[in-house]
Amino acid sequence: MKIPEPIRGFVDTLSQLPGIGPRQAIRIAFHLAGRSPDTAFSLARAAERLGELKTCPRCFYIHESDASLCEICSSPIRNTQIIAVVEKETDVLSMENTGKFDGTYLVLGNIKKTGGLSETQKARLESLKKRIMAMEGEMIRELILALSPTTFGDMASRMVEQELSPYATKMTKLGRGIPTGGEIEFADPETLGEAIRRRD
Amino acid sequence: MKIPEPIRGFVDTLSQLPGIGPRQAIRIAFHLAGRSPDTAFSLARAAERLGELKTCPRCFYIHESDASLCEICSSPIRNTQIIAVVEKETDVLSMENTGKFDGTYLVLGNIKKTGGLSETQKARLESLKKRIMAMEGEMIRELILALSPTTFGDMASRMVEQELSPYATKMTKLGRGIPTGGEIEFADPETLGEAIRRRD
């Protein structure tokens, strides 16, 4: 008994995506194949449109605007003297949702669990350096290391700091402390320690 | 800050698939958008091909053969006097993989967690009845209730049994017992009871 080839092909493609195992991929494949063809076709169209998105050559955020630069990088009211280095596109969204940041970004790309920066990440840092060197003063005012405070995030932060410290007057990190709604009882000592140090 | 529309559209489509939540869908969308467009396009093509698959009008298995009937239903060596009612397409694959079954199938479709048969399931049972009534003797030799022995599987089994008992000389269920590699220590009393009763 052979699995129909289109099912097999879809399963192969789908199970390469983050967080999808072969079993779930098979379930999804038969689910789609069993519905009206429109369901599969609308997924196809949705995926196709994803492939047509552009990556901003400055901050590496993904966007759909007609211009080459993204909405943020092309905005005249954003502060290009303050750059936040984030890991993922969704981190840009999270930062934007706060409404508290008017600087610009550099999307570094997924942090590797093996330590070290990938070639893409190094290239992105290089492009930022070049851009800063072309600016007046060859330095920006502030570089925010906005990577998640996890073991690997902290490692990557240190590497980015080393690379970029000559290019920014000030290097900062996101504040650590008790999250809103979090209970002191369950805060780990490091978090609580940071919260005490940063009290105001 | 707006999420690019193609990302939003893909997330909407993807999060309707079984087992995919909105957070995972966003991760996958940005993952795909951040790769070379080929990755998204190959998913698009794979999904498109799924939409082109056919459903066998006899057993409701999904297939790609040029004929209207699937490989199993159109095979002259399969026993059409023995029909196994299974829940899912993947159950057909599991049964076929044993190499121990030469009968045919009826794919019932996902068993509802609310009890009762869906309209599609009723229609499939009706089509089976009609087919049997058109056969010589207006009965088949054996109908195997091959639904998973879960609470809802058992409920569905009973309903299928009621519907189809006039159309089969014999109604059987898959044997229950200790699974291969399973430890008696961890078998629930019902399973162990069945294993004792069915000893040979």
Side-chain angles (χ1 to χ4, degrees), chain A residues 9-37:
Chain A
F10 183 80
V11 167
D12 286 349
T13 311
L14 203 67
S15 48
Q16 280 161 28
L17 299 179
I20 297 198
R23 225 167 235 282
Q24 193 186 7
I26 288 183
R27 200 161 87 229
I28 292 173
F30 276 110
H31 168 94
L32 282 172
R35 312 268 120 169
S36 97

Side-chain angles (χ1 to χ4, degrees), chain B residues 60-146:
Chain B
F60 304 100
Y61 184 68
I62 279 151
H63 71 104
E64 55 173 338
S65 72
D66 289 333
S68 150
L69 290 181
C70 75
E71 212 181 310
I72 297 173
C73 286
S74 58
S75 163
I77 59 165
R78 303 295 296 229
N79 189 341
T80 54
Q81 283 287 320
I82 304 179
I83 297 178
V85 177
V86 297
E87 180 182 0
K88 295 183 292 248
E89 287 87 358
T90 44
D91 296 338
V92 171
L93 293 175
S94 302
M95 299 269 292
E96 290 297 295
N97 281 340
T98 66
K100 299 278 170 62
F101 184 64
D102 71 347
T104 53
Y105 297 93
L106 182 82
V107 178
L108 194 60
N110 285 352
I111 286 168
K112 294 200 294 177
K113 295 279 183 287
T114 51
L117 298 171
S118 71
E119 289 310 310
T120 311
Q121 290 172 332
K122 284 179 193 161
R124 290 183 180 191
L125 292 178
E126 286 309 313
S127 96
L128 177 57
K129 285 181 193 173
K130 263 192 200 143
R131 180 150 62 88
I132 295 175
M133 288 203 299
M135 286 164 82
E136 221 186 289
E138 300 184 5
M139 267 205 161
I140 55 165
R141 209 165 71 220
E142 182 178 357
L143 193 121
I144 306 173
L145 295 161

Side-chain angles (χ1 to χ4, degrees), chain A residues 1-7 9-10 13-14 16-20 24 26-37 39-53 55 61-64 71-72 88-90 92-93 96-97 110 124, chain B residues 1-7 9-10 13-14 16-20 24 26-37 39-53 55 61-64 71-72 88-90 92-93 96-97 110 124:
Chain A
M1 182 67 188
K2 289 197 313 253
I3 299 181
E5 212 292 306
I7 298 269
F10 183 80
T13 311
L14 203 67
Q16 280 161 28
L17 299 179
I20 297 198
Q24 193 186 7
I26 288 183
R27 200 161 87 229
I28 292 173
F30 276 110
H31 168 94
L32 282 172
R35 312 268 120 169
S36 97
T39 318
F41 293 152
S42 73
L43 177 63
R45 273 194 304 275
E48 224 160 50
R49 292 193 57 207
L50 277 192
E52 289 158 3
L53 282 168
T55 301
Y61 184 68
I62 279 151
H63 70 104
E64 55 173 337
E71 212 182 310
I72 297 173
K88 295 183 292 246
E89 287 87 358
T90 45
V92 172
L93 293 175
E96 289 297 296
N97 281 340
N110 285 352
R124 290 182 177 189
Chain B
M1 183 65 188
K2 289 197 314 258
I3 299 179
E5 210 293 307
I7 298 269
F10 183 80
T13 311
L14 202 66
Q16 280 160 29
L17 299 179
I20 297 198
Q24 192 186 8
I26 287 183
R27 200 161 87 230
I28 292 172
F30 276 111
H31 169 95
L32 281 173
R35 311 268 120 169
S36 97
T39 319
F41 293 152
S42 73
L43 177 63
R45 272 194 303 276
E48 224 160 50
R49 293 192 58 206
L50 278 192
E52 290 158 5
L53 282 169
T55 301
Y61 184 68
I62 279 151
H63 71 104
E64 55 173 338
E71 212 181 310
I72 297 173
K88 295 183 292 248
E89 287 87 358
T90 44
V92 171
L93 293 175
E96 290 297 295
N97 281 340
N110 285 352
R124 290 183 180 191

